[in-house]
Amino acid sequence: MGVKSVMTVVSFVAKLLGWLLILLFAIAGGMIWGWTEIDDQRPQMMKVGAWQSDPAIGSVGASAKLRASVARWGLLALSREEAIYFTAHEDQWGEALREECSYLVEGTDPQARWWSLTLYAEDMFLAQNKDERHSVSADNVKRNFPRADGRGSWQVEIRGNAPANADAADWLSSKNAGKFDLVLRLYNPDPRIQEDFSAILLPTIKQLSCEGMG
Amino acid sequence: MRNLLIAILVLLVGAVAGRWVLIQFYPNFAIAAVYYSMQQREKTPEGWLHVDPIDETSRTVVRPAYDLLYSVCNADLANSGYYISLPPESDYTSISVYNASSDNIFSINDQDPKWQKDGLQLIVSGRDQAESLQNADPKPDAVINTNSPFALIIQRRIIRDRDQLSELEDKRRLTRCLPLS
């Protein structure tokens, strides 16, 4: 084999490697593009007040993007026949929920066999603060005007430090939670609301005050 | 000029392909990661991994429900199906099955009339196993075909009062999730 032939082969291999590098670079870029899409906590979900959800969560019929988003933000979610999930990242006025502020969540018992409201820190796990105030549920929330069927209206305060009457009050701790979110779970939801999420009685989230803002 | 056009085309095709692969298969990666991490942990003789009550140190699956007690059964369906049995329950209990694509393909809870009356018997099957398992003895209430090499089976119970956890612990120890062969 002559020098010319060797040079031709080397040139061909170099070109091939160049194209391969471009392709790998493009694939990596595409994966980063895909990741930013599923890392966005607000995919094309339906929004009711401060809350968002999607009837297709957990189902085989969900779009690829929704399935990826659920795998990222709520792996092992149940389909709506068993449970409906609503997530809130913002208050009623569209401001991100954050530990520097306190909030009042007010609602009535949603139309389900059982429900819970849980606060998750920015890393999607329970906030590490030793306050043991991560969640309230249909079992332990204090209702203002209890009705005969046990349902009624309730209020829960979210704050970074314990209120004066910490044992008596309904409150969730946002200490060390950063930009947190709230997840409302409805177990065995009424069949009517499974078909129409907009008919669900969802709580309101109002900001009370923020540190350094008076 | 021709090379530049080809480079742009390769970049576009590669980027679209990369995005597609990630979005399409991320759920598979995520559930496989949980499946294999659970695989390393010790199970009870009844086949379940009874997860400790969730607290702020729980870091395996994102957004765990603080008010639920979880048990997980890692079903390796490559060679055989799994048989699940639970006695009748007096409070919210559910069984849900997730395939290797992370889809919740089956759920049932304690309000099911058959479960309330006689308890629940299920078979979870892998690829090409469902038909042969329809006539298994004892006959199950349902055969769930995952069409997957593995499945995660999750048992959930409501913790109404953390002081009564020992009762829930006793109840979940009466349940089974074992390979058929």
Side-chain angles (χ1 to χ4, degrees):
Chain A
M1 191 187 280
V3 174
K4 200 175 169 189
S5 303
V6 172
M7 289 302 286
T8 308
V9 171
V10 168
S11 163
F12 175 76
V13 171
K15 266 188 183 171
L16 197 67
L17 282 174
W19 287 116
L20 202 62
L21 267 176
I22 291 174
L23 184 65
L24 286 175
F25 177 73
I27 290 172
M31 286 188 159
I32 293 168
W33 171 23
W35 181 254
T36 55
E37 283 187 51
I38 61 174
D39 202 39
D40 177 6
Q41 291 197 53
R42 286 150 242 216
Q44 302 303 310
M45 291 185 169
M46 62 168 291
K47 206 157 185 283
V48 184
W51 302 91
Q52 62 181 43
S53 186
D54 192 309
I57 286 174
S59 77
V60 182
S63 68
K65 202 171 153 186
L66 177 64
R67 290 172 62 252
S69 186
V70 169
R72 170 84 176 105
W73 296 106
L75 186 66
L76 306 179
L78 290 159
S79 57
R80 65 180 169 177
E81 291 77 16
E82 192 60 35
I84 296 176
Y85 305 87
F86 279 93
T87 307
H89 314 281
E90 301 168 345
D91 63 20
Q92 290 302 110
W93 296 283
E95 294 285 322
L97 302 173
R98 53 202 175 98
E99 69 170 292
E100 295 82 12
C101 302
S102 61
Y103 302 89
L104 184 68
V105 184
E106 281 186 289
T108 52
D109 287 274
Q111 309 96 308
R113 180 179 175 194
W114 185 82
W115 62 270
S116 69
L117 177 72
T118 310
L119 187 152
Y120 293 99
E122 206 163 347
D123 63 359
M124 299 183 288
F125 294 101
L126 299 174
Q128 295 186 298
N129 52 36
K130 312 248 187 267
D131 284 336
E132 300 281 323
R133 288 282 183 165
H134 303 293
S135 168
V136 292
S137 74
D139 290 319
N140 55 32
V141 76
K142 295 178 184 72
R143 294 172 180 85
N144 299 326
F145 306 106
R147 301 188 320 211
D149 61 2
R151 296 180 187 275
S153 62
W154 48 264
Q155 294 182 329
V156 174
E157 202 173 328
I158 295 173
R159 49 192 296 155
N161 49 18
N165 55 344
D167 289 339
D170 267 339
W171 69 285
L172 298 180
S173 175
S174 58
K175 189 175 170 185
N176 301 335
K179 281 188 177 171
F180 61 88
D181 57 42
L182 298 170
V183 174
L184 180 69
R185 293 177 167 86
L186 313 183
Y187 282 85
N188 295 165
D190 187 301
R192 283 169 301 172
I193 64 171
Q194 289 177 29
E195 299 306 318
D196 180 11
F197 280 19
S198 64
I200 301 174
L201 303 169
L202 291 167
T204 57
I205 306 168
K206 290 175 186 153
Q207 190 187 97
L208 296 175
S209 65
C210 292
E211 272 177 27
M213 293 179 71
Chain B
M1 184 65 186
R2 197 177 72 113
N3 278 355
L4 181 67
L5 284 175
I6 294 173
I8 290 170
L9 190 69
V10 169
L11 276 171
L12 279 175
V13 170
V16 169
R19 175 191 172 274
W20 184 85
V21 166
L22 188 90
I23 289 181
Q24 203 66 33
F25 295 103
Y26 180 73
N28 301 59
F29 295 141
I31 199 160
V34 174
Y35 175 80
Y36 289 109
S37 80
M38 295 284 181
Q39 196 84 305
Q40 315 302 322
R41 296 168 65 179
E42 199 178 334
K43 318 285 183 311
T44 65
E46 295 80 29
W48 293 99
L49 167 64
H50 293 311
V51 179
D52 289 337
I54 299 298
D55 61 22
E56 56 195 57
T57 65
S58 306
R59 289 281 191 274
T60 307
V61 177
V62 294
R63 290 183 172 144
Y66 182 70
D67 311 87
L68 294 180
L69 193 59
Y70 294 93
S71 298
V72 183
C73 177
N74 273 35
D76 177 359
L77 301 171
N79 300 314
S80 79
Y82 269 61
Y83 193 82
I84 302 166
S85 69
L86 291 94
E89 302 286 349
S90 54
D91 199 359
Y92 179 88
T93 307
S94 71
I95 291 290
S96 45
V97 179
Y98 298 84
N99 64 15
S101 306
S102 85
D103 298 316
N104 175 207
I105 56 169
F106 177 86
S107 283
I108 192 167
N109 66 64
D110 61 293
Q111 290 195 323
D112 174 76
K114 166 69 182 61
W115 187 352
Q116 277 186 345
K117 187 169 175 279
D118 303 319
L120 182 70
Q121 284 81 40
L122 299 173
I123 285 179
V124 175
S125 73
R127 289 195 180 110
D128 307 321
Q129 296 168 352
E131 207 168 312
S132 60
L133 295 172
Q134 291 288 348
N135 299 317
D137 186 26
K139 193 168 169 51
D141 299 313
V143 176
I144 301 136
N145 182 10
T146 64
N147 205 21
S148 291
F150 69 83
L152 278 178
I153 301 154
I154 313 280
Q155 186 186 148
R156 291 171 167 90
R157 293 167 186 273
I158 287 179
I159 304 170
R160 294 192 187 272
D161 183 346
R162 290 216 159 206
D163 291 337
Q164 292 171 347
L165 276 170
S166 62
E167 285 175 33
L168 295 179
E169 295 284 1
D170 292 345
K171 283 185 176 176
R172 65 180 180 172
R173 286 184 197 288
L174 298 173
T175 64
R176 287 169 193 280
C177 180
L178 295 168
L180 282 163
S181 57

